[in-house]
Amino acid sequence: MLSSVRIEEKGLPAVAVVTGSFEDLAYRMREHNGHPDLNVLVLPYPLEDKSEDHLRQVARQYYPQLLRMLGATDG
């Protein structure tokens, strides 16, 4: 989370990527660090015990949203 704040402070597009278990903390941290508009992409929880196939499916599902949040695509 803090890395995303530091990247944004340099004027670069940033997205904090967290799982659902850290969603509330991510929103509080962005406020606390003075970046209330920092994009937060919330992935499903848990991920650590999932198969590679499942992780690839999650990546395919969320990657387009990540690109949009970074401003890399229209929409």
Side-chain angles (χ1 to χ4, degrees):
M1 185 70 203
L2 192 53
S3 297
S4 297
V5 168
R6 298 294 177 245
I7 291 169
E8 191 173 73
E9 286 175 346
K10 294 181 183 281
L12 300 170
V15 176
V17 180
V18 299
T19 62
S21 63
F22 293 100
E23 182 175 6
D24 291 338
L25 179 61
Y27 292 127
R28 283 184 279 146
M29 285 186 68
R30 74 181 187 176
E31 294 287 333
H32 175 77
N33 286 288
H35 291 265
D37 296 327
L38 176 68
N39 288 311
V40 176
L41 177 61
V42 182
L43 302 179
Y45 175 83
L47 290 176
E48 67 271 2
D49 62 348
K50 302 300 182 188
S51 69
E52 182 176 342
D53 287 340
H54 178 80
L55 296 176
R56 289 181 183 277
Q57 179 183 3
V58 170
R60 282 190 295 274
Q61 179 181 351
Y62 285 88
Y63 187 65
Q65 185 178 353
L66 176 65
L67 291 178
R68 283 191 302 276
M69 293 172 107
L70 287 169
T73 61
D74 293 332

Coordinates of all heavy atoms in Angstrom, one line a residue:
M1 N 0.8 -1.2 0.0 CA 0.0 0.0 0.0 C 0.9 1.3 0.0 O 0.7 2.1 -0.8 CB -0.9 -0.1 1.2 CG -1.9 1.0 1.3 SD -3.2 0.8 0.1 CE -3.7 2.4 0.0
L2 N 1.8 1.3 0.9 CA 2.7 2.5 1.0 C 3.5 2.7 -0.3 O 3.7 3.8 -0.7 CB 3.6 2.4 2.2 CG 4.4 3.6 2.6 CD1 3.4 4.8 2.7 CD2 5.2 3.4 3.8
S3 N 3.9 1.6 -1.0 CA 4.6 1.7 -2.2 C 3.7 2.4 -3.3 O 4.2 3.2 -4.0 CB 5.0 0.3 -2.7 OG 5.9 -0.3 -1.9
S4 N 2.4 2.1 -3.3 CA 1.5 2.7 -4.3 C 1.4 4.2 -4.0 O 1.4 5.0 -4.9 CB 0.1 2.1 -4.2 OG 0.2 0.7 -4.6
V5 N 1.4 4.6 -2.7 CA 1.3 6.0 -2.3 C 2.6 6.7 -2.8 O 2.5 7.8 -3.4 CB 1.2 6.1 -0.8 CG1 1.4 7.6 -0.3 CG2 -0.2 5.6 -0.3
R6 N 3.8 6.1 -2.6 CA 5.0 6.7 -3.0 C 5.1 6.8 -4.5 O 5.6 7.8 -5.0 CB 6.2 5.9 -2.5 CG 6.3 5.8 -1.0 CD 6.6 7.2 -0.4 NE 6.5 7.1 1.1 CZ 5.7 7.7 1.9 NH1 4.7 8.4 1.3 NH2 5.7 7.6 3.2
I7 N 4.6 5.8 -5.2 CA 4.6 5.9 -6.7 C 3.7 7.1 -7.2 O 4.1 7.9 -8.0 CB 4.2 4.6 -7.3 CG1 5.2 3.5 -7.1 CG2 3.8 4.7 -8.8 CD1 4.8 2.1 -7.4
E8 N 2.5 7.2 -6.6 CA 1.6 8.3 -6.9 C 2.2 9.6 -6.6 O 2.0 10.6 -7.3 CB 0.3 8.1 -6.2 CG -0.8 9.0 -6.7 CD -2.1 8.7 -6.1 OE1 -2.3 9.0 -4.9 OE2 -3.0 8.2 -6.9
E9 N 3.0 9.7 -5.5 CA 3.6 11.0 -5.1 C 4.6 11.4 -6.2 O 4.9 12.6 -6.3 CB 4.3 10.8 -3.8 CG 3.3 10.8 -2.6 CD 4.0 10.6 -1.3 OE1 5.2 10.1 -1.2 OE2 3.3 10.8 -0.2
K10 N 5.2 10.5 -6.9 CA 6.1 10.8 -8.0 C 5.4 11.2 -9.3 O 6.0 11.5 -10.3 CB 7.0 9.7 -8.3 CG 8.0 9.4 -7.1 CD 8.9 8.2 -7.4 CE 9.8 7.9 -6.3 NZ 10.9 8.8 -6.1
G11 N 4.0 11.2 -9.2 CA 3.3 11.6 -10.4 C 3.0 10.5 -11.4 O 2.6 10.8 -12.5
L12 N 3.2 9.3 -11.0 CA 3.0 8.1 -11.8 C 1.7 7.5 -11.4 O 1.3 7.5 -10.3 CB 4.2 7.1 -11.7 CG 5.5 7.7 -12.0 CD1 6.6 6.7 -11.6 CD2 5.6 8.0 -13.5
P13 N 1.0 6.8 -12.4 CA -0.2 6.1 -12.1 C 0.1 5.0 -11.1 O 1.1 4.3 -11.3 CB -0.8 5.7 -13.4 CG 0.4 5.7 -14.3 CD 1.4 6.7 -13.8
A14 N -0.8 4.8 -10.2 CA -0.6 3.7 -9.2 C -1.9 3.1 -8.8 O -2.9 3.7 -8.8 CB 0.1 4.2 -7.9
V15 N -1.8 1.8 -8.5 CA -3.0 1.1 -8.0 C -2.5 0.2 -6.9 O -1.5 -0.6 -7.0 CB -3.6 0.2 -9.1 CG1 -4.8 -0.6 -8.5 CG2 -4.1 1.0 -10.2
A16 N -3.1 0.3 -5.7 CA -2.8 -0.7 -4.6 C -3.7 -1.9 -4.9 O -4.9 -1.8 -5.0 CB -3.2 0.0 -3.3
V17 N -3.1 -3.1 -4.9 CA -3.8 -4.3 -5.1 C -3.8 -5.1 -3.8 O -2.7 -5.4 -3.3 CB -3.1 -5.1 -6.2 CG1 -3.9 -6.4 -6.5 CG2 -3.1 -4.3 -7.5
V18 N -5.0 -5.4 -3.3 CA -5.1 -6.1 -2.0 C -6.2 -7.1 -2.2 O -7.0 -7.1 -3.1 CB -5.5 -5.1 -0.9 CG1 -4.4 -4.0 -0.7 CG2 -6.9 -4.4 -1.1
T19 N -6.2 -8.0 -1.2 CA -7.3 -9.0 -1.2 C -8.4 -8.4 -0.3 O -8.2 -7.5 0.5 CB -6.9 -10.4 -0.6 OG1 -6.4 -10.2 0.7 CG2 -5.8 -11.0 -1.5
G20 N -9.6 -9.0 -0.3 CA -10.7 -8.5 0.4 C -10.5 -8.4 1.9 O -11.1 -7.5 2.5
S21 N -9.6 -9.2 2.4 CA -9.3 -9.1 3.9 C -8.6 -7.9 4.3 O -8.6 -7.5 5.4 CB -8.6 -10.4 4.3 OG -7.3 -10.4 3.7
F22 N -8.0 -7.2 3.3 CA -7.3 -5.9 3.6 C -8.0 -4.7 3.0 O -7.4 -3.6 3.0 CB -5.8 -6.0 3.1 CG -5.0 -7.0 3.8 CD1 -4.8 -8.3 3.3 CD2 -4.5 -6.7 5.0 CE1 -4.1 -9.3 4.0 CE2 -3.7 -7.7 5.7 CZ -3.5 -8.9 5.2
E23 N -9.1 -4.9 2.5 CA -9.8 -3.8 1.8 C -10.0 -2.5 2.7 O -9.6 -1.4 2.4 CB -11.2 -4.2 1.3 CG -11.9 -3.2 0.5 CD -13.2 -3.7 -0.1 OE1 -13.6 -4.8 0.1 OE2 -13.8 -2.9 -0.9
D24 N -10.6 -2.8 3.9 CA -10.8 -1.6 4.8 C -9.5 -1.0 5.2 O -9.4 0.3 5.2 CB -11.5 -2.1 6.1 CG -13.0 -2.5 5.8 OD1 -13.6 -2.1 4.8 OD2 -13.5 -3.3 6.6
L25 N -8.5 -1.7 5.5 CA -7.2 -1.2 5.8 C -6.6 -0.4 4.7 O -6.1 0.7 4.9 CB -6.2 -2.3 6.2 CG -4.8 -1.9 6.6 CD1 -4.8 -1.0 7.8 CD2 -3.9 -3.1 6.8
A26 N -6.8 -0.8 3.5 CA -6.2 -0.1 2.3 C -6.9 1.3 2.2 O -6.2 2.3 2.0 CB -6.5 -0.9 1.0
Y27 N -8.2 1.3 2.4 CA -8.9 2.6 2.3 C -8.5 3.5 3.4 O -8.3 4.8 3.2 CB -10.4 2.4 2.3 CG -10.9 1.8 1.0 CD1 -11.7 0.6 1.0 CD2 -10.6 2.3 -0.3 CE1 -12.1 0.0 -0.2 CE2 -11.0 1.7 -1.4 CZ -11.8 0.5 -1.4 OH -12.2 -0.1 -2.5
R28 N -8.3 3.0 4.6 CA -7.9 3.8 5.7 C -6.5 4.3 5.5 O -6.2 5.5 5.8 CB -8.0 3.1 7.0 CG -9.4 3.0 7.5 CD -9.5 2.3 8.9 NE -9.5 0.9 8.6 CZ -9.0 0.0 9.4 NH1 -8.4 0.3 10.5 NH2 -9.0 -1.3 9.1
M29 N -5.6 3.5 5.0 CA -4.2 3.9 4.8 C -4.1 4.9 3.7 O -3.2 5.9 3.8 CB -3.4 2.7 4.4 CG -3.0 1.8 5.6 SD -1.9 0.4 5.2 CE -0.4 1.4 4.9
R30 N -4.9 4.8 2.7 CA -4.8 5.9 1.6 C -5.2 7.2 2.2 O -4.6 8.3 1.8 CB -5.5 5.5 0.4 CG -7.0 5.6 0.4 CD -7.6 5.2 -0.9 NE -9.1 5.4 -0.8 CZ -9.9 5.2 -1.8 NH1 -9.5 4.8 -2.9 NH2 -11.2 5.5 -1.6
E31 N -6.2 7.2 3.0 CA -6.7 8.5 3.7 C -5.6 9.0 4.6 O -5.2 10.2 4.6 CB -8.0 8.2 4.5 CG -9.2 7.9 3.6 CD -9.7 9.1 2.9 OE1 -9.5 10.2 3.3 OE2 -10.3 8.9 1.8
H32 N -5.1 8.1 5.4 CA -4.0 8.5 6.4 C -2.8 9.1 5.7 O -2.2 10.0 6.3 CB -3.7 7.3 7.3 CG -2.5 7.5 8.2 ND1 -2.7 8.2 9.4 CD2 -1.2 7.2 8.2 CE1 -1.6 8.3 10.0 NE2 -0.6 7.7 9.3
N33 N -2.5 8.6 4.6 CA -1.3 9.0 3.8 C -1.6 10.2 2.9 O -0.7 10.6 2.1 CB -0.6 7.9 3.1 CG 0.1 6.9 4.0 OD1 1.1 7.3 4.5 ND2 -0.5 5.8 4.3
G34 N -2.8 10.7 3.0 CA -3.1 11.9 2.2 C -3.4 11.7 0.7 O -3.2 12.6 -0.1
H35 N -3.8 10.5 0.4 CA -4.1 10.1 -1.0 C -5.4 9.5 -1.1 O -5.6 8.3 -1.5 CB -3.0 9.2 -1.6 CG -1.7 9.9 -1.8 ND1 -1.3 10.4 -2.9 CD2 -0.7 10.1 -0.9 CE1 -0.1 11.0 -2.8 NE2 0.3 10.8 -1.5
P36 N -6.5 10.2 -0.8 CA -7.8 9.6 -0.8 C -8.3 9.1 -2.1 O -9.3 8.3 -2.2 CB -8.7 10.7 -0.3 CG -8.0 12.0 -0.6 CD -6.5 11.6 -0.5
D37 N -7.7 9.5 -3.2 CA -8.1 9.1 -4.5 C -7.3 8.0 -5.1 O -7.5 7.6 -6.3 CB -8.1 10.3 -5.5 CG -9.1 11.4 -5.1 OD1 -10.2 11.0 -4.6 OD2 -8.8 12.6 -5.3
L38 N -6.4 7.5 -4.3 CA -5.5 6.4 -4.8 C -6.4 5.2 -5.2 O -7.3 4.8 -4.4 CB -4.5 5.9 -3.7 CG -3.7 4.7 -4.1 CD1 -2.7 5.0 -5.2 CD2 -2.9 4.3 -2.8
N39 N -6.2 4.6 -6.4 CA -7.0 3.5 -6.8 C -6.7 2.2 -6.0 O -5.5 2.0 -5.7 CB -6.8 3.2 -8.3 CG -7.4 4.2 -9.2 OD1 -8.5 4.5 -9.0 ND2 -6.6 4.7 -10.1
V40 N -7.7 1.5 -5.6 CA -7.5 0.3 -4.9 C -8.3 -0.8 -5.6 O -9.5 -0.7 -5.9 CB -8.0 0.4 -3.4 CG1 -7.9 -1.0 -2.7 CG2 -7.3 1.4 -2.6
L41 N -7.6 -1.9 -6.0 CA -8.2 -3.0 -6.7 C -8.2 -4.1 -5.7 O -7.2 -4.5 -5.1 CB -7.3 -3.4 -7.9 CG -7.8 -4.7 -8.6 CD1 -9.2 -4.4 -9.2 CD2 -6.8 -5.0 -9.7
V42 N -9.4 -4.6 -5.4 CA -9.6 -5.6 -4.4 C -9.9 -7.0 -5.1 O -10.8 -7.2 -5.8 CB -10.9 -5.3 -3.5 CG1 -11.0 -6.3 -2.4 CG2 -10.7 -3.9 -2.9
L43 N -8.9 -7.9 -4.8 CA -9.0 -9.3 -5.3 C -9.8 -10.1 -4.3 O -9.8 -9.8 -3.1 CB -7.6 -9.8 -5.5 CG -6.8 -9.1 -6.5 CD1 -5.4 -9.7 -6.6 CD2 -7.4 -8.9 -7.9
P44 N -10.3 -11.3 -4.7 CA -11.0 -12.2 -3.8 C -10.0 -12.7 -2.7 O -8.8 -12.9 -3.0 CB -11.5 -13.3 -4.7 CG -10.8 -13.2 -5.9 CD -10.3 -11.8 -6.1
Y45 N -10.6 -13.0 -1.6 CA -9.8 -13.7 -0.5 C -10.4 -15.0 -0.2 O -11.7 -15.1 -0.2 CB -9.8 -12.8 0.7 CG -9.2 -13.4 2.0 CD1 -7.8 -13.3 2.1 CD2 -10.0 -14.1 2.9 CE1 -7.2 -13.9 3.2 CE2 -9.4 -14.7 4.0 CZ -8.0 -14.6 4.1 OH -7.4 -15.2 5.2
P46 N -9.7 -16.0 0.1 CA -8.2 -16.1 0.1 C -7.6 -16.5 -1.3 O -8.3 -17.0 -2.1 CB -7.9 -17.2 1.1 CG -9.1 -18.1 0.9 CD -10.3 -17.3 0.6
L47 N -6.3 -16.2 -1.4 CA -5.6 -16.6 -2.7 C -4.5 -17.6 -2.4 O -4.1 -18.3 -3.2 CB -5.1 -15.4 -3.4 CG -6.1 -14.5 -4.1 CD1 -5.4 -13.3 -4.7 CD2 -6.9 -15.2 -5.1
E48 N -4.0 -17.5 -1.2 CA -2.8 -18.3 -0.9 C -2.9 -19.8 -1.0 O -1.9 -20.5 -1.2 CB -2.2 -17.9 0.5 CG -3.0 -18.4 1.7 CD -4.1 -17.3 2.1 OE1 -4.2 -16.3 1.5 OE2 -4.8 -17.6 3.1
D49 N -4.1 -20.3 -0.8 CA -4.2 -21.8 -0.9 C -4.9 -22.3 -2.2 O -5.3 -23.4 -2.3 CB -4.9 -22.3 0.3 CG -6.3 -21.8 0.4 OD1 -6.7 -20.8 -0.3 OD2 -7.1 -22.3 1.3
K50 N -4.9 -21.4 -3.2 CA -5.6 -21.7 -4.4 C -4.7 -22.3 -5.4 O -3.5 -22.1 -5.4 CB -6.3 -20.5 -5.0 CG -7.3 -19.9 -4.1 CD -8.4 -20.8 -3.7 CE -9.4 -20.1 -2.8 NZ -10.4 -21.0 -2.3
S51 N -5.2 -23.1 -6.4 CA -4.4 -23.7 -7.4 C -3.9 -22.7 -8.4 O -4.4 -21.5 -8.5 CB -5.2 -24.7 -8.2 OG -6.2 -24.1 -8.9
E52 N -2.9 -23.0 -9.1 CA -2.3 -22.1 -10.2 C -3.4 -21.8 -11.2 O -3.5 -20.6 -11.6 CB -1.1 -22.7 -10.8 CG -0.5 -21.8 -11.9 CD 0.8 -22.3 -12.5 OE1 1.4 -23.3 -12.0 OE2 1.1 -21.8 -13.6
D53 N -4.2 -22.8 -11.6 CA -5.3 -22.5 -12.5 C -6.3 -21.5 -12.0 O -6.7 -20.6 -12.7 CB -6.0 -23.8 -12.8 CG -5.3 -24.7 -13.7 OD1 -4.3 -24.3 -14.4 OD2 -5.6 -25.9 -13.8
H54 N -6.6 -21.6 -10.7 CA -7.5 -20.6 -10.1 C -6.9 -19.2 -10.1 O -7.6 -18.2 -10.4 CB -7.9 -21.0 -8.7 CG -8.8 -20.0 -8.0 ND1 -10.2 -20.0 -8.2 CD2 -8.5 -19.0 -7.1 CE1 -10.7 -19.0 -7.5 NE2 -9.7 -18.4 -6.8
L55 N -5.6 -19.1 -9.7 CA -4.9 -17.8 -9.7 C -4.9 -17.2 -11.1 O -5.1 -16.0 -11.3 CB -3.5 -18.0 -9.1 CG -3.5 -18.4 -7.7 CD1 -2.1 -18.6 -7.2 CD2 -4.2 -17.4 -6.8
R56 N -4.7 -18.0 -12.1 CA -4.6 -17.5 -13.5 C -6.0 -17.0 -13.9 O -6.1 -16.0 -14.6 CB -4.1 -18.6 -14.4 CG -2.7 -18.9 -14.3 CD -2.2 -19.9 -15.3 NE -0.8 -20.2 -15.1 CZ 0.2 -19.5 -15.6 NH1 -0.1 -18.4 -16.4 NH2 1.5 -19.8 -15.4
Q57 N -7.0 -17.7 -13.4 CA -8.4 -17.2 -13.7 C -8.7 -15.9 -13.1 O -9.3 -15.0 -13.7 CB -9.4 -18.3 -13.2 CG -10.8 -17.9 -13.5 CD -11.8 -18.9 -12.9 OE1 -11.4 -19.9 -12.3 NE2 -13.1 -18.7 -13.1
V58 N -8.3 -15.7 -11.8 CA -8.4 -14.4 -11.1 C -7.6 -13.4 -11.8 O -8.2 -12.2 -12.1 CB -8.0 -14.6 -9.6 CG1 -7.9 -13.2 -9.0 CG2 -8.9 -15.5 -8.9
A59 N -6.4 -13.7 -12.3 CA -5.6 -12.7 -13.0 C -6.3 -12.2 -14.3 O -6.3 -11.1 -14.6 CB -4.2 -13.3 -13.3
R60 N -6.8 -13.2 -15.0 CA -7.5 -12.9 -16.3 C -8.7 -12.0 -16.0 O -9.0 -11.1 -16.8 CB -7.9 -14.1 -17.0 CG -6.7 -14.8 -17.8 CD -7.2 -15.9 -18.7 NE -7.8 -17.0 -18.0 CZ -7.1 -18.0 -17.5 NH1 -5.8 -18.0 -17.7 NH2 -7.7 -19.0 -16.9
Q61 N -9.4 -12.3 -14.9 CA -10.6 -11.6 -14.6 C -10.3 -10.1 -14.2 O -11.0 -9.2 -14.6 CB -11.4 -12.3 -13.5 CG -12.6 -11.6 -13.1 CD -13.3 -12.3 -11.9 OE1 -13.0 -13.4 -11.5 NE2 -14.3 -11.6 -11.3
Y62 N -9.3 -9.9 -13.4 CA -9.0 -8.6 -12.8 C -8.0 -7.7 -13.6 O -8.0 -6.5 -13.4 CB -8.5 -8.7 -11.4 CG -9.7 -9.1 -10.4 CD1 -10.0 -10.4 -10.2 CD2 -10.4 -8.1 -9.8 CE1 -11.1 -10.7 -9.4 CE2 -11.5 -8.4 -9.0 CZ -11.8 -9.7 -8.8 OH -12.8 -10.1 -7.9
Y63 N -7.3 -8.3 -14.5 CA -6.2 -7.6 -15.3 C -6.8 -6.5 -16.1 O -6.3 -5.3 -16.1 CB -5.5 -8.6 -16.2 CG -4.3 -7.9 -16.9 CD1 -3.2 -7.5 -16.1 CD2 -4.3 -7.8 -18.2 CE1 -2.1 -6.9 -16.8 CE2 -3.2 -7.3 -18.9 CZ -2.1 -6.8 -18.2 OH -1.1 -6.2 -18.8
P64 N -7.9 -6.6 -16.8 CA -8.5 -5.5 -17.6 C -8.9 -4.3 -16.6 O -8.7 -3.2 -17.0 CB -9.8 -6.1 -18.2 CG -9.5 -7.6 -18.3 CD -8.7 -7.9 -17.1
Q65 N -9.4 -4.6 -15.5 CA -9.7 -3.5 -14.5 C -8.5 -2.8 -14.0 O -8.5 -1.6 -13.9 CB -10.5 -4.1 -13.4 CG -11.0 -3.1 -12.4 CD -11.8 -3.7 -11.2 OE1 -12.1 -4.8 -11.2 NE2 -12.2 -2.8 -10.3
L66 N -7.4 -3.6 -13.8 CA -6.1 -3.0 -13.4 C -5.6 -2.0 -14.5 O -5.2 -0.9 -14.2 CB -5.1 -4.1 -13.1 CG -3.7 -3.6 -12.7 CD1 -3.7 -2.8 -11.4 CD2 -2.8 -4.8 -12.6
L67 N -5.7 -2.5 -15.7 CA -5.2 -1.6 -16.8 C -6.0 -0.3 -16.9 O -5.5 0.7 -17.1 CB -5.3 -2.4 -18.1 CG -4.3 -3.5 -18.3 CD1 -4.5 -4.2 -19.6 CD2 -2.8 -3.0 -18.2
R68 N -7.4 -0.5 -16.7 CA -8.2 0.7 -16.8 C -7.9 1.7 -15.6 O -7.8 2.9 -15.8 CB -9.7 0.4 -16.7 CG -10.3 -0.2 -18.0 CD -11.8 -0.3 -17.9 NE -12.3 -1.2 -16.9 CZ -12.4 -2.5 -16.9 NH1 -12.0 -3.1 -18.1 NH2 -12.8 -3.2 -15.9
M69 N -7.6 1.1 -14.4 CA -7.3 2.0 -13.3 C -6.0 2.7 -13.4 O -5.8 3.8 -12.9 CB -7.3 1.1 -12.0 CG -8.6 0.6 -11.6 SD -8.5 -0.6 -10.2 CE -9.2 0.4 -8.9
L70 N -5.1 2.1 -14.2 CA -3.8 2.7 -14.5 C -3.9 3.7 -15.6 O -2.9 4.4 -15.9 CB -2.7 1.6 -14.8 CG -2.2 0.8 -13.6 CD1 -1.4 -0.4 -14.1 CD2 -1.4 1.7 -12.6
G71 N -5.0 3.7 -16.3 CA -5.1 4.6 -17.4 C -4.5 4.1 -18.7 O -4.2 4.8 -19.6
A72 N -4.2 2.8 -18.7 CA -3.6 2.2 -19.9 C -4.5 1.8 -21.0 O -4.1 1.5 -22.1 CB -2.8 0.9 -19.4
T73 N -5.8 1.8 -20.7 CA -6.9 1.5 -21.7 C -8.0 2.4 -21.5 O -8.2 3.1 -20.4 CB -7.4 0.0 -21.5 OG1 -8.0 -0.1 -20.2 CG2 -6.3 -1.0 -21.7
D74 N -8.9 2.5 -22.5 CA -10.1 3.4 -22.4 C -11.1 2.6 -21.6 O -11.1 1.4 -21.5 CB -10.6 3.6 -23.8 CG -9.7 4.5 -24.6 OD1 -9.0 5.3 -24.0 OD2 -9.7 4.4 -25.8
G75 N -12.0 3.4 -21.0 CA -13.1 2.8 -20.3 C -13.1 3.1 -18.9 O -13.4 2.8 -17.9

